Amino acid sequence: MTASTAPTSPHVMNTYGRLPIALDHGDGVWVWDTEGRRYLDGLGGIAVNTLGHNHPKLVPALQDQIAKLIHSSNYYHVPGQEALAARLVELSGLTNAFFCSTGLEANEAALKLARKFGHDKGIERPEIVVYEHAFHGRSIATLSATGNPKVQAGFGPLVEGFIRVPLNDIAALKAATEGNPNVVAVFFETIQGEGGIHAMRWEYLRQVRALCDANDWLMMIDEVQCGMGRTGKWFAHQWAGILPDVMPLAKGLGSGVPIGAVVAGPKAAKIFGPGNHGTTFGGNPLAMRAGVETLRIMEEDGLVENAATVGAHLKAGLERELAGLPGVKEVRGHGLMLGIELDRPCGVILQRAAEAGLLLSVTADSVIRLVPPLILTADEADQIVAILVPLVKAFLAEPQAA
């Protein structure tokens, strides 16, 4: 693509470091840009396109819904909300759901639930435990809960009421909260996405669950990126055999149609009453149809199991080909949520991979992230390895900047 034909967006706010690519259409795990170049989609819209692109079961269902009703106010019952809520309750073991449009909104709602939970108990200034390297969104409240000073810079003063602790250290959590009567919740991602594909250990999750029970805190698990079958379970925390009290969802729930949800258990499901929270677009008929159909297709096509088996195949291939390579610190993750951590910043690999026909992302400066559609096959996983490994080897062979 020449500079003269590279797409530009001069009237759009400059909030993204975009590659000179504009995508035009897709099919399965493949997408084509406006210049006709084909890419293997290892990013899935950042863990959003669960069913890939142009799915033969999803597209007709959405076309059918668009012809009926796209939006309706929440002044009225929306049958799709109950249908999707019932499925999420069944899959999660929780009891009720609230629908919104994004992961940020879902996390914001969770924070409001925690604060009202505290106020209802007579706690005037509720505090919520959050984690180093966490990412929960870019509103002022979710930004304050986020553990990344770079994305917080320039937006102070941040919201108070957060206690930050390191991952997988139950002693640190206990020390940070000991004797503090204002703590109301512990809020975390089962696997941190933007933070670099860092997972909570299953035993640690069980310890946190026990601590929350002992202190009457809400256990709030952000499954926005790692949920919806991505790790080989419907929700990543299920590997630990626990139930949260509050679970924000988004991204893959609608296969690309904007959708968010907060699924809650008995301790939190009745905290909000009429007037306490709301949304204009959340729970609209189109988004609800997308969620219902996504779950149906995932179940029919065995995509949760596929994420586990193909993800293990992809991880094994990366580990095999990168084993012992100086500069590769770790290949980690679960299912189709994988990260390759290098010993140096590697942002240039984003464009180099695109030029080689593979879409991915680099997060936390030095972690190559792969979150492809859950329809990925073992053969397509092998193609990811075949494209990516030579790029990593060539990059690590270059002299490091002084």
Side-chain angles (χ1 to χ4, degrees):
M1 182 178 293
T2 65
S4 61
T5 61
T8 60
S9 303
H11 297 94
V12 178
M13 284 192 183
N14 186 28
T15 55
Y16 305 103
R18 301 182 196 266
L19 298 183
I21 295 170
L23 299 180
D24 179 75
H25 64 281
D27 192 66
V29 298
W30 299 91
V31 291
W32 286 259
D33 68 17
T34 52
E35 301 295 308
R37 293 185 54 182
R38 188 177 79 149
Y39 306 84
L40 178 51
D41 188 1
L43 185 59
I46 315 181
V48 168
N49 297 107
T50 300
L51 304 178
H53 307 276
N54 192 30
H55 195 282
K57 296 180 182 178
L58 179 66
V59 171
L62 296 184
Q63 290 172 330
D64 173 71
Q65 186 61 51
I66 287 171
K68 291 178 177 176
L69 192 64
I70 295 175
H71 177 75
S72 128
S73 165
N74 280 303
Y75 284 147
Y76 320 110
H77 288 278
V78 179
Q81 289 188 18
E82 178 57 26
L84 183 55
R87 285 296 289 129
L88 290 174
V89 163
E90 181 182 3
L91 294 170
S92 68
L94 302 178
T95 61
N96 295 85
F98 167 84
F99 294 108
C100 49
S101 300
T102 66
L104 179 155
E105 291 176 80
N107 285 335
E108 188 91 15
L111 296 175
K112 287 181 67 175
L113 276 172
R115 284 198 168 190
K116 191 167 189 304
F117 175 72
H119 281 285
D120 290 348
K121 295 202 301 180
I123 299 172
E124 185 177 346
R125 303 179 73 84
E127 295 183 71
I128 300 167
V129 176
V130 292
Y131 283 77
E132 295 174 359
H133 310 298
F135 183 87
H136 297 294
R138 295 180 185 272
S139 68
I140 293 299
T142 56
L143 190 66
S144 302
T146 287
N148 185 338
K150 281 173 60 174
V151 301
Q152 292 172 331
F155 298 105
L158 298 175
V159 174
E160 65 176 21
F162 294 103
I163 301 167
R164 198 167 307 281
V165 299
L167 278 69
N168 292 317
D169 188 338
I170 195 66
L173 174 56
K174 290 178 178 178
T177 57
E178 186 175 5
N180 185 344
N182 294 326
V183 176
V184 295
V186 181
F187 186 38
F188 59 89
E189 302 151 274
T190 318
I191 303 175
Q192 294 180 337
E194 304 303 320
I197 318 297
H198 293 289
M200 296 291 188
R201 293 196 301 268
W202 309 144
E203 177 56 30
Y204 178 76
L205 293 182
R206 290 188 280 268
Q207 292 172 327
V208 175
R209 177 70 273 178
L211 192 63
C212 288
D213 290 340
N215 289 280
D216 193 31
W217 300 338
L218 295 177
M219 186 183 200
M220 308 199 306
I221 304 184
D222 176 351
E223 292 263 356
V224 167
Q225 187 166 151
C226 59
M228 296 315 305
R230 181 146 297 278
T231 68
K233 296 279 190 183
W234 281 104
F235 311 108
H237 68 265
Q238 290 176 330
W239 289 102
I242 60 167
L243 283 177
D245 299 302
V246 179
M247 179 177 65
L249 300 171
K251 287 191 179 287
L253 179 56
S255 297
V257 176
I259 185 171
V262 180
V263 190
K267 188 184 284 191
K270 306 301 181 185
I271 292 173
F272 284 160
N276 289 147
H277 198 57
T279 169
T280 296
F281 292 102
N284 71 67
L286 178 61
M288 297 300 94
R289 183 71 179 271
V292 168
E293 298 294 340
T294 295
L295 292 176
R296 178 182 66 81
I297 296 165
M298 287 177 68
E299 195 162 43
E300 286 179 357
D301 294 357
L303 295 186
V304 177
E305 297 80 7
N306 189 69
T309 56
V310 176
H313 179 81
L314 176 56
K315 185 179 182 184
L318 292 169
E319 289 174 332
R320 180 184 65 250
E321 297 299 323
L322 296 173
L325 184 65
V328 176
K329 296 179 69 174
E330 187 180 13
V331 178
R332 60 175 175 260
H334 298 275
L336 288 172
M337 185 175 185
L338 300 176
I340 305 166
E341 184 176 6
L342 306 184
D343 66 355
R344 67 202 72 170
C346 58
V348 296
I349 286 182
L350 185 71
Q351 180 156 352
R352 293 181 186 181
E355 290 170 352
L358 174 64
L359 302 183
L360 47 72
S361 73
V362 172
T363 188
D365 294 329
S366 59
V367 179
I368 301 166
R369 174 174 50 177
L370 294 167
V371 281
L374 302 193
I375 62 171
L376 190 79
T377 66
D379 178 67
E380 290 159 345
D382 290 340
Q383 293 182 62
I384 291 176
V385 174
I387 297 171
L388 182 55
V389 166
L391 294 175
V392 173
K393 289 181 176 179
F395 170 73
L396 293 174
E398 297 170 2
Q400 293 192 56

